[in-house]
Amino acid sequence: MNSITGLMLAGAVLTGSVMLTGCGGSGSSDLYKDATQPVEKRVENLLSQMTLDEKIGQLNQRSMWGGDDALAIFSEEISKGNIGSLLNVPDAVYADSMQRVAIERSRLGIPVLISRDVIHGYKTIFPIPLGQAATFDTAVVEKGARIAAVEASSDGIRWTFAPMIDIARDPRWGRIAEGCGEDVYLTSRMSRAMVKGFQGDDLTSSTSMAACAKHFVGYGASESGRDYNSTFIPERLLRNVYLPPFEEACKAGCLTYMSSFNDNDGVPASGNKFVLTDILRGEWGFNGFVVSDWASVGEMVNHGFCADRKEAAMKGFNAGVDMEMESGTYIAHMKELLDEGKVSQADIDRSVANILRVKFMLGLFENPYITTPQDVKYSDEHLAAAKEAAVKSAILLKNDNETLPLSSGVKRILLTGPLADARHDQMGTWVFDGEKEKTVTLLDALRNEYGGDINIIYEPALGYSRDKNEAGIARAVNAVRGVDAVIAVVGEESILSGEAHCLADLNLVGAQGKLIEALSHTGKPLVTVVMAGRPLTIKKQVDESDAVLYSFHPGTMGGPALADLIFGKESPSGKTPVTFPLAVGQVPIYYSKNAGSRPANGTETLLNDIPQEGGQTSLGNTSYWLDAGFGPLFPFGYGLSYGQFDYSDIAIDKDTYSKGDCIKATATLTNSGKHKATEVAQLYIRDHAGSVTRPVKELKGFERVTLSPGESTTVTFNLPVSELAFYGSDMAKKVEPGDFTLWIGGNSDCKLSTPFKVAN
Ligand code: NOJ
C-alpha cells in the first residue's frame, strides 16, 4: 500500500460508521437512512426517490483496475450512480475511496457492493474446495469460509463469488477443483457450511460477506468436460442432482446467486426464466439478487440465443438476472427496452429492490467503510485453521506394509518431485490474493520441523509438473543411496485446473510418470504425494508406490500438514469427494449411477480374454468396458487412515417405516489398528423400485469418528424418511413406498447392509 493512499485509508478507518450525507434529500425522504426502520420500508423509500438512470446503474457491475485513470473513470461513474457493484477492486485503498465517492458524491449516497472471487481463502489459502470437501467436516469448512470473510472484509470486500456448488462428475473439467465433487448430499452439506461461514451470524457485521451460490445451474455437466460448453440435463436430473445444493444454499440464507455460462438443453442459464425465476424465487422464495456470470448476458449472442446485445439484455433481465456482471448490455439498452415495452418498470423496480435489500441487510448504509483491522491476515489462528483443513483433506489412497507413517527409524529421506517446494502451485486455482511467499511447502516443513532428527536430501528432479526434461530423474535416482525412504511430490501446477483449464488426458503430465517409475525401481520405500486440482488417472503410480497420499492443492499450510501426516503426528482422514477413474475413457464415472439393464457383476470378460475370431454375442454381457472393467481406481468416499476400521452389527430400529418416521441406523465401528485415527462413517441407501429408476446408492449421512487402537463405538445415524424423497414420474418431490437397502461403511463400495421398507 503506498503512503498517500494509505493515509486516505487511515482516514476512512477513523471515520468508521457514518451519517449518510449524500448530496440528495433530507427530512421525511431520508427514511431509508434510518437503520431502525425495517429493511423493506427502507428499500421502498429509497426506490421511490431514484431516477430511472440511478435504478439501471444499480443493475450494473463493473470490474475495476488500478491507476489514476481508473480512479477518475470509476469515481465519475459511481458519483453519477451508474455502478451498483465493483469487482476486482485492486486493494483496500481503492475500495474505501470508491465507497467514499458513492456515499459522499452520488446523489442518494447508495454504497457500492465490493466483490471478489474469494474462493478458498483470501490471504491465508485453504485447500481448494474439492480438498475441503474431502474433509467431510462441515465445521472445518465453515471456519475456513469465516476466516476468508474476516480477511477479505478487512480490505473492504463484502461479497464473494462463492460457494461454487456445481456437481461435477467429469475430472476433465478444470473447474471440478472449485466445487465439492460429485455428490448431491456432500455438496449440499458443504454448501450450507460455506454460506454460513462467509455470511457469519450477523450480516451487518463488518466481517460478513454476502455469499453467491454459483454457477446456477448445471455448469458442472459441461459436455465432454470442456469449459463453457453446453449441458443437456433433463428436468428430473436437474431437480434430483444439480439443484439440491443450491436449494440448500437458499435455506441457509445465501444472499446472491450467479447464473452460469452453459446453455442447458438449448437455453443459456442467464436467459433461463424457469430456473432463475420460477424455481429460485417461485419455489424457494429467494429474495436476494441474481448476478450474471462475467459477460454471460452478452454472450447469449454467441450462443445463438439472441440476435444482438439488446435482445440479450431483454432476455437476461426478463429471465431474472438482476445484476449484470461486466458486459454492460443493461446500461446500454435498458431504457430503450423500457420505452419499447419489452421490459417493465415493475420488473426494474423489483430487481433494484433485490439489490438494495442485500445492501441494507449487509449494513452497508451504516458501515460502508473498512472498520476491521488490517492485521487479521495470516494470523496464527488462521494459519492453524488452514493447516487443520489441509491435514483433514489429505486422502491416504494406499499404504502397503504400513509404509506410513514413517517410523522413528527413518533417519535419511530423499524428497523429490516438482511439487515438493512449489509455493505458488501448492495454493491451487482461484488465488488472486494469497502470496506465495507465505506458503509453507513440504520441503520447508520437513526442514523446519523434522530436519533436526532427519537428514533431508532434496532433489526436485523436474522443474515443474509439465517439465519433460528427464535429466534430473537420474540425479534423483542417484540420490537414493543411503536413504531410508523416498517422498516424491508430483501432480499438477495450479494453472492446470480451474476455469478454462480442461484436460483430455488425466495422466501425470511431463516426465513425472517416468520419475515415479525410476524411483520405484530403486527398491526404497516410495511415498508418492499427489497435489492436484482433480482426480488424476494414476493407477500406474499407485501400483509403483508403497504409499500414496492425495492432497488436492492444499493451500498455504499444505507443507506442515503433509509433514505431520507423513511422520504420524496426524493420521489421514480425508475421503475421496469424487470417484477416481482408472482411465479417462470411463469418464463420467460416479457411484450414484442408475443400475441400467445389465449391471456389471464382476464376471466380465476383459479385452485379452476374448478368443480370436470370437463369435458375435451379447448374451451374458453386462455394462462395462472391455479394456477397463467397470470399477473405478478408487470409489467415492474412499480413504485409509493409520488405524484399521471395521464395521459390523448393522441395525435399524424397525423393519417398516412410515413417511413421517425417522430411521435410526447403527453399526459398530472398531479400530483394530495400531494408531489412533479418524474414520468418516458413511450412510448410503438404495430405493429399489420407483416410478422412475433410482441410483444404486445415495449418500445420506456421514460422521467423523476418532478411535484409539482397539476401541469400538456405535455409530448412529438418524435419517428422516422424508430425506428419501425425490422427483419421480409426476415431477413432484415425494417419498415412494417400497423396498430399500441401507448401508453403513467407510466408502461408497461398502457392503454391510440391511433392508427396510417404507409403507404407503
Ligand atoms: C467467471 C467465473 O465463471 C466465475 O466463477 C467468477 O466468479 C467470475 N468470472 C468473476 O471473476
Side-chain angles (χ1 to χ4, degrees):
M1 185 181 293
N2 68 50
S3 56
I4 300 171
T5 45
L7 281 175
M8 286 170 57
L9 176 62
V13 172
L14 285 176
T15 308
S17 153
V18 294
M19 282 294 296
L20 291 169
T21 53
C23 314
S26 58
S28 61
S29 63
D30 285 353
L31 183 147
Y32 74 90
K33 297 175 184 170
D34 181 353
T36 65
Q37 295 292 328
V39 165
E40 288 311 312
K41 275 197 154 181
R42 298 177 77 186
V43 169
E44 195 186 313
N45 175 265
L46 177 52
L47 202 56
S48 72
Q49 300 179 51
M50 293 171 76
T51 64
L52 179 59
D53 285 326
E54 285 165 340
K55 289 177 181 174
I56 296 171
Q58 286 301 307
L59 311 181
N60 186 30
Q61 184 188 52
R62 293 286 307 280
S63 177
M64 197 184 182
W65 60 92
D68 288 345
D69 66 324
L71 280 174
I73 293 166
F74 283 90
S75 296
E76 172 156 4
E77 292 298 314
I78 290 170
S79 63
K80 284 187 193 155
N82 286 342
I83 294 178
S85 170
L86 289 170
L87 76 153
N88 298 334
V89 174
D91 62 22
V93 176
Y94 282 85
D96 248 10
S97 42
M98 289 302 97
Q99 199 62 281
R100 193 164 295 281
V101 172
I103 298 297
E104 295 179 0
R105 286 169 48 195
S106 74
R107 193 178 71 88
L108 293 163
I110 304 174
V112 281
L113 186 47
I114 293 174
S115 60
R116 197 170 185 81
D117 289 286
V118 181
I119 308 295
H120 52 109
Y122 179 60
K123 293 287 184 182
T124 305
I125 300 301
F126 282 68
I128 57 170
L130 193 58
Q132 293 192 40
T135 66
F136 282 65
D137 188 331
T138 52
V140 157
V141 170
E142 182 177 336
K143 190 165 181 188
R146 184 86 289 270
I147 286 170
V150 166
E151 292 193 355
S153 60
S154 77
D155 279 351
I157 298 155
R158 296 293 305 280
W159 179 22
T160 178
F161 303 127
M164 193 280 222
I165 44 177
D166 295 317
I167 299 292
R169 296 172 164 181
D170 190 334
R172 293 173 299 182
W173 192 51
R175 303 201 78 168
I176 197 169
E178 297 172 48
C180 300
E182 73 183 41
D183 188 61
V184 182
Y185 180 79
L186 177 62
T187 304
S188 300
R189 293 278 305 267
M190 293 301 168
S191 163
R192 167 172 285 275
M194 290 191 217
V195 169
K196 280 175 68 189
F198 287 130
Q199 296 192 168
D201 295 332
D202 171 12
L203 286 173
T204 64
S205 155
S206 56
T207 69
S208 77
M209 276 200 300
C212 183
K214 75 182 189 186
H215 303 87
F216 202 49
V217 62
Y219 187 32
S222 287
E223 201 176 49
S224 68
R226 193 154 45 80
D227 216 354
Y228 313 120
N229 206 0
S230 301
T231 60
F232 296 93
I233 309 171
E235 183 181 344
R236 194 174 351 271
L237 190 62
L238 198 66
R239 288 185 179 277
N240 283 330
V241 172
Y242 292 89
L243 285 172
F246 288 92
E247 186 172 6
E248 194 60 27
C250 188
K251 287 183 188 157
C254 186
L255 291 174
T256 74
Y257 279 67
M258 183 187 290
S259 60
S260 53
F261 286 132
N262 57 304
D263 59 320
N264 187 42
D265 195 18
V267 182
S270 291
N272 193 329
K273 178 170 175 298
F274 174 59
V275 167
L276 297 179
T277 300
D278 300 352
I279 292 181
L280 180 61
R281 295 195 186 273
E283 294 182 23
W284 300 349
F286 174 67
N287 74 349
F289 72 85
V290 175
V291 64
S292 75
D293 201 344
W294 185 284
S296 70
V297 172
E299 285 175 3
M300 289 198 287
V301 177
N302 304 358
H303 276 289
F305 188 68
C306 304
D308 53 31
R309 287 167 55 80
K310 182 173 160 192
E311 190 185 357
M314 178 189 79
K315 284 193 170 171
F317 184 72
N318 286 337
V321 174
D322 300 299
M323 180 183 281
E324 187 190 14
M325 184 188 288
E326 196 48 27
S327 51
T329 69
Y330 286 8
I331 204 107
H333 301 291
M334 195 64 80
K335 262 180 148 171
E336 220 183 318
L337 289 168
L338 182 65
D339 288 345
E340 293 167 8
K342 290 182 174 149
V343 299
S344 74
Q345 184 64 57
D347 283 345
I348 293 176
D349 286 352
R350 191 160 40 237
S351 279
V352 176
N354 292 338
I355 293 163
L356 295 177
R357 182 176 303 119
V358 169
K359 291 184 177 183
F360 282 117
M361 288 169 88
L362 288 172
L364 279 180
F365 284 79
E366 287 67 59
N367 287 304
Y369 305 122
I370 297 169
T371 53
T372 47
Q374 296 281 297
D375 60 9
V376 291
K377 299 164 184 115
Y378 301 116
S379 72
D380 289 347
E381 185 203 338
H382 295 184
L383 292 173
K387 180 179 170 189
E388 184 189 355
V391 165
K392 290 182 168 174
S393 74
I395 308 163
L396 183 63
L397 294 176
K398 176 179 181 181
N399 196 18
D400 276 4
N401 306 318
E402 299 188 0
T403 304
L404 287 177
L406 294 183
S407 71
S408 53
V410 170
K411 292 293 172 212
R412 194 174 157 89
I413 57 173
L414 167 66
L415 179 66
T416 183
L419 274 296
D421 190 35
R423 288 177 202 289
H424 172 78
D425 292 315
Q426 183 178 310
M427 290 191 288
T429 184
W430 279 112
V431 172
F432 289 133
D433 304 289
E435 293 138 306
K436 68 175 189 177
E437 294 72 20
K438 299 281 185 180
T439 302
V440 190
T441 65
L442 184 55
L443 176 64
D444 296 330
L446 289 178
R447 280 184 176 154
N448 297 345
E449 289 159 43
Y450 294 88
D453 298 332
I454 297 163
N455 188 357
I456 296 148
I457 298 157
Y458 175 56
E459 170 47 67
L462 300 167
Y464 59 111
S465 71
R466 287 165 294 160
D467 192 352
K468 294 198 181 83
N469 183 347
E470 295 175 28
I473 296 179
R475 285 198 299 276
V477 169
N478 284 337
V480 304
R481 244 174 282 130
V483 304
D484 301 309
V486 177
I487 304 170
V489 193
V490 294
E492 297 181 309
E493 297 147 72
S494 56
I495 194 61
L496 299 187
S497 60
E499 185 178 349
H501 292 90
C502 302
L503 292 172
D505 181 346
L506 299 178
N507 289 331
L508 284 178
V509 292
Q512 297 182 104
K514 292 198 169 144
L515 172 65
I516 300 295
E517 186 179 325
L519 293 169
S520 77
H521 291 145
T522 64
K524 299 287 180 185
L526 174 58
V527 176
T528 297
V529 177
V530 185
M531 287 185 188
R534 53 163 69 77
L536 294 168
T537 46
I538 50 164
K539 174 162 180 2
K540 184 166 180 293
Q541 291 74 40
V542 171
D543 290 345
E544 289 166 345
S545 308
D546 297 286
V548 178
L549 257 179
Y550 212 90
S551 176
F552 292 112
H553 291 127
T556 307
M557 295 299 283
L562 287 164
D564 285 355
L565 287 165
I566 288 168
F567 282 98
K569 208 163 155 191
E570 302 278 359
S571 170
S573 58
K575 297 278 187 173
T576 52
V578 60
T579 303
F580 277 52
L582 265 176
V584 71
Q586 293 182 313
V587 167
I589 180 169
Y590 50 95
Y591 84 94
S592 193
K593 59 184 187 296
N594 292 351
S597 62
R598 296 183 186 184
N601 57 21
T603 60
E604 287 67 35
T605 308
L606 296 177
L607 192 72
N608 295 325
D609 302 328
I610 302 172
Q612 213 181 335
E613 297 197 354
Q616 167 66 37
T617 178
S618 58
L619 283 182
N621 285 351
T622 59
S623 180
Y624 71 104
W625 295 273
L626 289 175
D627 54 350
F630 68 92
L633 178 58
F634 297 108
F636 171 85
Y638 178 84
L640 306 170
S641 71
Y642 297 153
Q644 167 62 49
F645 288 105
D646 307 313
Y647 290 82
S648 58
D649 309 323
I650 190 165
I652 48 176
D653 56 342
K654 287 189 192 176
D655 296 331
T656 303
Y657 294 90
S658 53
K659 291 181 184 164
D661 284 347
C662 187
I663 304 167
K664 184 176 171 197
T666 56
T668 304
L669 177 62
T670 304
N671 179 1
S672 57
K674 291 188 225 132
H675 298 264
K676 181 175 177 182
T678 300
E679 165 73 334
V680 179
Q682 299 158 46
L683 173 78
Y684 293 90
I685 62 102
R686 178 173 183 183
D687 183 346
H688 285 279
S691 62
V692 295
T693 54
R694 302 294 299 137
V696 294
K697 257 183 190 167
E698 292 176 273
L699 183 70
K700 291 290 178 187
F702 57 81
E703 198 186 323
R704 292 174 60 89
V705 183
T706 302
L707 294 179
S708 297
E711 198 184 352
S712 280
T713 191
T714 301
V715 285
T716 304
F717 292 98
N718 293 303
L719 176 66
V721 172
S722 57
E723 295 283 312
L724 306 175
F726 63 97
Y727 289 86
S729 57
D730 57 358
M731 209 59 88
K733 190 176 183 187
K734 51 182 184 261
V735 179
E736 294 187 3
D739 291 329
F740 291 76
T741 297
L742 181 150
W743 291 260
I744 296 178
N747 65 64
S748 61
D749 199 24
C750 57
K751 307 288 185 230
L752 185 68
S753 68
T754 181
F756 71 92
K757 286 183 193 301
V758 173
N760 263 314

